[in-house]
Amino acid sequence: MFKFKISSDIRFRNFGFIPSGYFLRDLYGWLFGHRNLIKRLQARDIINAIDPRQNEKILDIGCGQGHFTVEIAKKSQTTIGVDIAEGIDLIKIPETISDQMKFVQVKGVSLPFKDDTFDKVLASAVLGTIENTEEFLSEWRRVLKPEGKLVIVNTSGRPPIAMAYKNQPWFFKFLRKVYIKKFPHNYADFERVLNNNFGNTKSKFPQPNELKYILAQNGFGETKVEQSLSSATGNFIAWHQFIGFLRKGFIPSVPGWPHYYYFFRVVEFFSKTPCDFCHIYISKHVQ
Ligand SMILES: C[S@@+](CC[C@H](N)C(=O)[O-])C[C@H]1O[C@@H](n2cnc3c(N)ncnc32)[C@H](O)[C@@H]1O
């Protein structure tokens, strides 16, 4: 039986592909990579920010299904993915990188690692799901080596929708008339719906300046903030979710669309202006 193997290089075509042994599922993964379209589109930016090296130990906090962990492991000495979710340690580790990585289930804020263990820490889409940001930052700082790098990936919400509440364009007024009952009263209401939908503990998305301030207060030096995803993709996702909510009463998620990857890649290529939507924070642990 033909088996799909993962490459030892990071390939953005099928980023995050972890073979399961099931032919059709693996064919799909091998062609389109991890299921979440946004992660797939952001993968290149996130990996560039982490910039894994052969002599480095890297920690992927709240690693979910381990798609970033696996890719980072290919280019590092060791990468450990930790998550509170049960079954994390059951994710199949591909043979080609089996001695470069592992998954560990952790409970909450206390990490089972000595001080100054890691060269780099990645926390992608984790801050929204945890209660006490500062407590976690101090634990991440503890396990990072001095001068080590912390990469946080976070969203600042849906800026195109916030803008529409402010500027009230004609189609927005039209939607309000058509969906009079379900229309969120203001942007903060829509933000709460989004957060509930994605299981976030916060009711509000932190903006880059707030997060930079919190990082500085918790022992991280100057933070560089990069935007990821173009304004075309950001607008599309924001409006798709907003109109989906008005029509169906819930937020349509984008994970099920990896096969649109190639289409959005072309969109990304032609739409160079970034959307103030997904941010990558790169901070240095200072002594
Ligand atoms: C939105 S997912 C992000 C997964 C992955 N990092 C990504 O970017 O696709 C958030 C993850 O954080 C994990 N998580 C939430 N609270 C946690 C905690 N206290 N400790 C470790 N992981 C946690 C969740 O189980 C979940 O897998």
Side-chain angles (χ1 to χ4, degrees):
M1 168 70 110
F2 182 77
K3 273 193 181 169
F4 295 93
K5 290 213 170 113
I6 67 159
S7 146
S8 52
D9 284 327
I10 298 175
R11 296 216 174 133
F12 291 97
R13 172 178 62 80
N14 54 9
F15 187 91
F17 167 53
I18 304 177
S20 66
Y22 294 98
F23 182 77
L24 284 180
R25 196 185 297 169
D26 285 351
L27 175 64
Y28 191 74
W30 184 77
L31 285 173
F32 303 114
H34 181 258
R35 278 177 63 75
N36 188 315
L37 177 71
I38 303 183
K39 310 279 160 180
R40 299 278 293 95
L41 292 170
Q42 288 190 296
R44 197 181 293 263
D45 297 337
I46 295 173
I47 292 296
N48 282 346
I50 277 279
D51 185 23
R53 304 286 170 102
Q54 291 300 351
N55 59 348
E56 288 177 342
K57 286 188 180 164
I58 301 179
L59 179 65
D60 181 8
I61 303 249
C63 63
Q65 293 151 16
H67 38 280
F68 288 120
T69 326
V70 164
E71 296 294 342
I72 295 167
K74 292 175 182 177
K75 295 280 173 213
S76 63
Q77 187 189 84
T78 319
T79 298
I80 301 182
V82 297
D83 201 290
I84 199 166
E86 270 179 33
I88 181 74
D89 38 357
L90 301 178
I91 298 176
K92 273 192 182 170
I93 296 180
E95 277 162 33
T96 42
I97 48 170
S98 58
D99 49 356
Q100 280 149 259
M101 66 175 294
K102 66 175 172 177
F103 290 110
V104 181
Q105 192 192 358
V106 297
K107 284 213 173 85
V109 75
S110 128
L111 295 170
F113 307 111
K114 291 192 180 130
D115 296 0
D116 307 342
T117 303
F118 296 97
D119 298 279
K120 290 168 183 169
V121 168
L122 169 67
S124 164
V126 175
L127 278 190
T129 65
I130 57 180
E131 204 61 66
N132 185 342
T133 307
E134 306 207 345
E135 214 180 329
F136 275 83
L137 283 179
S138 106
E139 182 65 354
W140 302 349
R141 186 170 178 272
R142 181 185 71 74
V143 297
L144 256 182
K145 289 179 185 169
E147 294 291 304
K149 193 200 255 187
L150 170 67
V151 175
I152 289 178
V153 183
N154 210 38
T155 173
S156 60
R158 303 293 180 266
I161 308 300
M163 193 63 87
Y165 271 100
K166 207 165 145 214
N167 298 338
Q168 302 280 322
W170 66 266
F171 61 90
F172 191 73
K173 288 184 185 154
F174 172 75
L175 286 173
R176 191 192 288 269
K177 280 196 182 127
V178 175
Y179 297 103
I180 195 155
K181 282 198 183 138
K182 285 196 209 132
F183 209 89
H185 188 61
N186 50 33
Y187 176 67
D189 281 352
F190 181 60
E191 220 176 7
R192 270 192 289 278
V193 172
L194 268 173
N195 272 312
N196 280 341
N197 193 88
F198 294 117
N200 288 350
T201 56
K202 314 265 168 40
S203 59
K204 195 177 166 304
F205 296 104
Q207 300 305 303
N209 278 348
E210 298 169 52
L211 205 44
K212 274 173 84 170
Y213 178 76
I214 296 173
L215 282 161
Q217 292 294 305
N218 285 277
F220 289 95
E222 189 69 9
T223 298
K224 197 165 93 182
V225 185
E226 294 176 353
Q227 285 166 333
S228 179
L229 293 185
S230 74
S231 67
T233 309
N235 269 287
F236 180 83
I237 292 168
W239 284 106
H240 171 81
Q241 291 182 325
F242 186 69
I243 295 171
F245 172 69
L246 296 179
R247 289 182 55 226
K248 300 180 179 163
F250 63 87
I251 304 280
S253 178
V254 279
W257 304 353
H259 45 283
Y260 286 124
Y261 173 71
Y262 294 108
F263 170 74
F264 277 98
R265 216 46 280 172
V266 174
V267 170
E268 288 287 283
F269 181 79
F270 286 105
S271 154
K272 298 282 183 204
T273 348
C275 182
D276 207 18
F277 178 92
C278 294
H279 292 101
I280 301 177
Y281 299 77
I282 306 167
S283 296
K284 255 195 184 161
H285 165 319
V286 285
Q287 295 271 37

